[in-house]
Amino acid sequence: AVLVFDLERWDASGAAGKILRWHKVIAPEPAFHGSEVAPWLLVVSEVAAELSPNWACGGLGRRTMSLEESQAIRRGGFDKRGLRRLGVASDDIGRFSPHLATCSGSAKLLHFDGPTA
């Protein structure tokens, strides 16, 4: 998940005070004991707006691409020669390795979470 805050809007909404009030209401409840997340989520949901997909480019640690992703790369104009120049190999069924992140060109935020399968 990606969160970007408009601090002026956050302050104007009184969000910090609302979080404190919700915390006082639910803190005595055993189900929420020690939880700081629940009050925060209740308030954020009131002031949140959906971000465009450009705000999150994930999967940057993946080692391979799915067959569908690999086919999309081919349809996008990459030929065997161009892929070799990038150091990309194809397995027996056509999946590319390493993973090519096509979202990185327009992304506002890149998410690398380490190597994954």
Side-chain angles (χ1 to χ4, degrees):
V2 174
L3 299 173
V4 178
F5 289 93
D6 177 338
L7 295 179
E8 290 179 7
R9 184 175 170 201
W10 177 267
D11 287 341
S13 73
K18 290 177 185 179
I19 290 172
L20 292 174
R21 284 191 293 280
W22 271 112
H23 183 68
K24 288 178 183 176
V25 169
I26 70 168
E29 296 295 325
F32 297 106
H33 183 68
S35 175
E36 300 299 326
V37 176
W40 191 82
L41 289 175
L42 288 166
V43 172
V44 168
S45 67
E46 295 176 8
V47 295
E50 191 169 333
L51 296 173
S52 76
N54 289 348
W55 276 96
C57 180
L60 301 181
R62 291 176 44 204
R63 292 191 174 127
T64 61
M65 299 180 77
S66 70
L67 184 57
E68 294 79 17
E69 291 168 324
S70 300
Q71 289 170 341
I73 293 291
R74 286 188 192 95
R75 285 191 303 272
F78 282 92
D79 61 9
K80 288 182 182 182
R81 182 175 171 210
L83 291 167
R84 272 195 306 270
R85 289 181 65 189
L86 291 173
V88 176
S90 179
D91 67 11
D92 294 340
I93 62 171
R95 294 177 300 195
F96 293 155
S97 177
H99 182 264
L100 298 175
T102 57
C103 58
S104 63
S106 60
K108 297 178 188 319
L109 183 69
L110 302 176
H111 179 211
F112 177 80
D113 55 357
T116 59

